Amino acid sequence: MLRNPNEILLVAAVIFGVLQGSWSFVVPQTPFAQSTYPIRSVSTAIFSLSQNRRPIIAGNWKLNPATISEAENLLKLISGNFKNHRTLDGPEIVVFPPFPYLTTAINELDGTGIKVGAQNVGLETKGAFTGEVAASMISSLGASYVMLGHSERRTLYKESDSDINAKVHLCMEQPNLNVILCVGETEEEYESGLLKSVVDLQLKKGLMGLKKEDLKRIVVAYEPVWAIGTGKVATSEQAQSAHIAVRGTLSDLFGVEYANEVKIQYGGSVSPASIDELMQMPDVDGALVGGASLTADSFTRIVDGGTYSNLDNQSPKELIATEVVKTKNVLGESPIWSVKDKCLYWISAPEEEVWAWNLKDSPYRRLMGTTIGCIALQESTEEGDLVVAGERAFIKMNMSSNSKDFASGGEVLCDRPEQTETTRPNDGRVDRQGRLVFGMYNNYHRAGASAGENNAGLYRLNSKLEVESLLDYKYRVSNCICFPKEGDIMYFCDTPTRKVYAFDYPKEDGGKLTNRRLVYTVPPELAGAPDGAQIDSDGFLWIALSGSGRVIRVNPQSGHVDTIVHLPVSSPTSCTFGGEDLDELFITTRGPDGGGLYRVKVPGIKGLPEPEFSINSLQSVPSNSSPVLPTSAPSSTNEFPTPPVPSATRFVPGAHYLS
Ligand code: PGA
């Protein structure tokens, strides 16, 4: 991105010439007008204070978000993106949350190097001024910046230049406070050629009485009012020209040397798409970002250099999975690895089978006599104890090939919710507290009377075998359910939407999922949709993209895909980590071209042990469901079986098995 200095001078000179012709104000011919500062990207900026100014990117949250928990979430995402990631070579980063979130922001961002600022300050220092906030209070919290003179304060709250100047002085009395002073012209003023005189006056009045030394703690944000929140970003040439004008006034006030040190941000509809061009300009020293700072991903990308962002630039690692069990499942699903049993279990949903493979002997299966949504490990001293989410009920069964129970049906634990033919249990995983979270599936979502209808709920089976509803709304096809090791977040997608979300996950029984935020959207160029997912020990998501022949690893904080596992078949359905060291990714697939179990080693990445479902009382809850018995003889153990032909007499609602 860095260009050579001659090219820079040429560009600056051309811009300068063009602007002199096209703009109605005169750009000052100060010594710094044809800047010798290198053209920078935000991310590659290397600064030395005498020659170059370290860029500063600030996020102005304005009156957002509505609640502290949303603010915490945004801060966590930002902090996750930046932790241990930024070096001193990068830009200075500041966020400006509303007053009530300042302390939370300071705490959440601790250790990231990101500074926190206040969006305003009162005119008084203490006393009977109800509702006011003093500069000393801001400073004592540990905030580093105060933003003053924002156009919204000037117009909506009638702040005058002399108010702003008084506030600048109050901040300067606090040795640890810096100020971002915002200036900028309205559209009308711009059209009338008044940009320079408006900005000149705002600066002269706003900075009146300041000592040269104070200037080190002042950043100027040039924000044309017509660009704020409008999507009408100024061109980089317009910004550069205005910044030269700002520096001209600063030079008039404090001298060239001091003026050269002042950082001038551009603000007004800055986004990842516009930041790089703006930052090419020698006098654009960063950005004041409003709307785009409310999303961790876009803010991070702006800091990292917009379209050149590392988040986008790092090409994903590509791996290929190979088939290890040629099961030809109609619909393989729900793979789980038992550390205790050293065994992988999975299902073929419509074939009513649970499969087991210890990675050494031949895999074997057990027929359940019911369509299966998912399986879970059951907390037990016995090998092979599983819980099966059957079509009508939850079933406890033992999968051990030595068990005498092997030939009998499982024990019904309790009914599943929504006793209707329209829905059935689908994807599920045990949370970190040992409860089984599962979603329902609209059997008719692809066709039929209730096509497309959101009628499937999301539930949790707790240790008392009570089913709790986790969401107040319904959807079509639950998938992607998984939990990071802290157990406080749950991932989920309604497959037809092609979007994966994170929720704050309630640890207490009876709680609801809250604070939904988007983690990943399948891009339009990819076929298919997200199916099952698993989390690794870094907290990254592995999502099977059914229909596009791949499993992707997604950073849930940025949505960035850093690994793609390709399969030779189109529809992977889910995945999990297994093997002695939990470093092998097992992937179930579905027909017609797939159906086998695939595996890939992922160097340097490990899975987490699959949690076990814990039942407080082994007393099952009376169920109205029909008895669960195998509908055909179980295969003999330890042999590689031929998949059975599904029985035509079984109840198979809808027979639409989207994985
Ligand atoms: P915007 O706001 O990026 O949403 O236009 C900028 C600002 O007002 O500081």
Side-chain angles (χ1 to χ4, degrees):
M1 284 197 67
L2 291 172
R3 300 204 203 167
N4 75 47
N6 290 340
E7 197 182 348
I8 295 160
L9 285 176
L10 188 68
V11 169
V14 169
I15 292 165
F16 199 63
V18 168
L19 292 171
Q20 279 196 311
S22 62
W23 284 44
S24 44
F25 63 87
V26 179
V27 178
Q29 297 283 355
T30 56
F32 43 74
Q34 301 207 352
S35 173
T36 52
Y37 303 122
I39 289 176
R40 303 149 291 176
S41 75
V42 191
S43 54
T44 56
I46 298 162
F47 61 96
S48 116
L49 281 180
S50 59
Q51 283 291 313
N52 307 306
R53 297 170 295 268
R54 182 186 181 191
I56 171 169
I57 305 289
N60 177 11
W61 291 14
K62 307 189 181 185
L63 193 59
N64 300 294
T67 63
I68 182 73
S69 72
E70 288 168 81
E72 269 168 3
N73 182 57
L74 177 56
L75 290 162
K76 280 198 174 87
L77 293 177
I78 293 173
S79 135
N81 281 358
F82 288 92
K83 206 166 254 169
N84 310 321
H85 182 58
R86 297 291 175 277
T87 64
L88 276 177
D89 287 348
E92 183 179 358
I93 308 165
V94 195
V95 294
F96 287 86
F99 286 130
Y101 307 152
L102 283 175
T103 301
T104 307
I106 289 162
N107 293 337
E108 287 289 347
L109 298 174
D110 189 32
T112 62
I114 301 174
K115 295 172 186 162
V116 175
Q119 296 173 20
N120 186 24
V121 75
L123 276 167
E124 309 297 337
T125 52
K126 63 175 177 181
F129 301 98
T130 304
E132 286 299 276
V133 172
S136 64
M137 298 173 185
I138 308 286
S139 173
S140 68
L141 293 179
S144 326
Y145 275 89
V146 173
M147 187 192 311
L148 294 173
H150 192 278
S151 73
E152 284 149 20
R153 296 228 51 93
R154 290 177 191 264
T155 34
L156 303 174
Y157 300 96
K158 310 283 174 253
E159 277 189 17
S160 67
D161 282 311
S162 68
D163 291 340
I164 294 161
N165 178 250
K167 291 178 180 187
V168 170
H169 280 275
L170 287 169
C171 290
M172 290 297 112
E173 281 166 23
Q174 304 299 321
N176 299 323
L177 283 185
N178 303 286
V179 164
I180 292 185
L181 175 65
C182 306
V183 296
E185 81 290 356
T186 63
E187 188 152 28
E188 224 178 11
E189 289 162 344
Y190 173 69
E191 296 297 339
S192 317
L194 295 173
L195 184 156
K196 186 179 182 306
S197 50
V198 168
V199 166
D200 184 70
L201 207 60
Q202 287 173 339
L203 284 168
K204 283 183 173 150
K205 288 184 171 177
L207 299 176
M208 196 186 290
L210 243 55
K211 299 192 283 290
K212 281 184 176 180
E213 280 304 303
D214 294 333
L215 212 57
K216 294 199 171 116
R217 292 198 278 142
I218 303 282
V219 172
V220 175
Y222 165 68
E223 297 202 299
V225 179
W226 47 269
I228 295 178
T230 58
K232 276 198 255 173
V233 60
T235 64
S236 48
E237 291 81 9
Q238 285 171 327
Q240 168 65 9
S241 172
H243 286 214
I244 290 173
V246 168
R247 214 176 288 289
T249 302
L250 294 175
S251 175
D252 292 347
L253 291 172
F254 300 98
V256 178
E257 207 184 303
Y258 280 87
N260 268 345
E261 302 283 322
V262 178
K263 297 175 206 181
I264 307 173
Q265 296 176 299
Y266 168 79
S269 298
V270 173
S271 70
S274 56
I275 185 70
D276 290 326
E277 255 193 78
L278 288 163
M279 291 304 296
Q280 295 278 326
M281 295 296 118
D283 284 279
V284 176
D285 303 318
L288 180 54
V289 186
S293 72
L294 294 171
T295 319
D297 185 21
S298 54
F299 187 60
T300 308
R301 288 181 54 202
I302 288 169
V303 173
D304 273 355
T307 50
Y308 296 97
S309 156
N310 289 335
L311 284 174
D312 274 355
N313 253 2
Q314 281 163 9
S315 23
K317 196 190 311 170
E318 308 212 32
L319 303 166
I320 295 173
T322 47
E323 194 174 26
V324 283
V325 178
K326 297 182 194 302
T327 44
K328 287 283 166 232
N329 293 150
V330 171
L331 173 44
E333 255 289 4
S334 197
I336 45 174
W337 173 261
S338 166
V339 172
K340 171 168 66 76
D341 301 350
K342 296 193 174 48
C343 187
L344 183 79
Y345 302 105
W346 74 99
I347 61 170
S348 182
E351 292 164 294
E352 311 179 348
E353 297 167 346
V354 180
W355 284 78
W357 185 36
N358 64 7
L359 313 191
K360 292 199 243 14
D361 307 319
S362 296
Y364 59 91
R365 67 174 179 210
R366 177 171 174 187
L367 296 178
M368 289 302 299
T370 173
T371 302
I372 306 166
C374 59
I375 49 172
L377 303 174
Q378 193 205 306
E379 193 177 72
S380 159
T381 49
E382 298 291 311
E383 193 176 314
D385 271 347
L386 301 183
V387 173
V388 176
E391 191 181 325
R392 296 289 179 85
F394 289 92
I395 304 151
K396 170 174 149 17
M397 59 90 91
N398 185 280
M399 194 58 194
S400 157
S401 56
N402 301 322
S403 163
K404 63 178 170 27
D405 190 35
F406 187 71
S408 68
E411 179 193 340
V412 172
L413 288 172
C414 61
D415 283 343
R416 55 89 156 174
E418 300 177 7
Q419 290 283 326
T420 148
E421 285 186 23
T422 318
T423 61
R424 65 162 171 86
N426 197 47
D427 186 55
R429 282 200 188 275
V430 174
D431 71 12
R432 303 281 158 195
Q433 285 84 34
R435 296 162 301 189
L436 175 59
V437 174
F438 61 97
M440 304 299 279
Y441 174 97
N442 174 349
N443 287 309
Y444 303 97
H445 83 95
R446 290 185 181 191
S450 56
E453 197 181 302
N454 292 323
N455 60 2
L458 186 73
Y459 300 95
R460 177 161 75 185
L461 181 66
N462 68 22
S463 61
K464 290 172 265 170
L465 297 176
E466 297 160 340
V467 174
E468 317 166 46
S469 165
L470 279 180
L471 269 185
D472 289 331
Y473 61 88
K474 300 280 174 97
Y475 52 83
R476 284 168 283 175
V477 181
S478 63
N479 266 310
C480 276
I481 295 170
C482 58
F483 305 87
K485 60 176 174 289
E486 297 77 16
D488 53 353
I489 292 174
M490 183 184 128
Y491 297 99
F492 174 71
C493 80
D494 179 11
T495 289
T497 66
R498 294 162 51 95
K499 291 182 191 308
V500 180
Y501 288 98
F503 289 86
D504 287 350
Y505 181 72
K507 292 193 174 172
E508 301 303 317
D509 280 357
K512 296 273 185 200
L513 295 172
T514 50
N515 192 18
R516 185 178 88 157
R517 59 262 186 200
L518 184 63
V519 168
Y520 176 75
T521 306
V522 180
E525 64 274 15
L526 281 185
D531 198 336
Q534 181 57 295
I535 204 110
D536 65 25
S537 57
D538 295 333
F540 281 43
L541 283 163
W542 292 78
I543 306 172
L545 295 184
S546 183
S548 74
R550 61 181 68 192
V551 174
I552 53 170
R553 182 180 192 244
V554 178
N555 176 343
Q557 264 135 13
S558 64
H560 177 63
V561 174
D562 74 357
T563 308
I564 301 173
V565 177
H566 295 278
L567 291 99
V569 296
S570 62
S571 294
T573 52
S574 189
C575 58
T576 201
F577 285 90
E580 198 73 27
D581 298 323
L582 285 176
D583 62 350
E584 298 168 52
L585 187 73
F586 291 94
I587 305 163
T588 48
T589 66
R590 57 179 295 176
D593 62 335
L597 178 77
Y598 286 76
R599 175 169 64 182
V600 63
K601 274 239 177 206
V602 272
I605 292 167
K606 288 198 178 220
L608 294 166
E610 186 80 33
E612 297 170 337
F613 178 67
S614 73
I615 310 178
N616 272 356
S617 138
L618 280 176
Q619 279 298 321
S620 52
V621 173
S623 163
N624 300 322
S625 303
S626 18
V628 179
L629 287 169
T631 49
S632 55
S635 310
S636 60
T637 59
N638 287 337
E639 70 161 51
F640 194 77
T642 317
V645 178
S647 160
T649 55
R650 281 175 221 150
F651 171 63
V652 183
H656 302 290
Y657 297 103
L658 176 81
S659 39

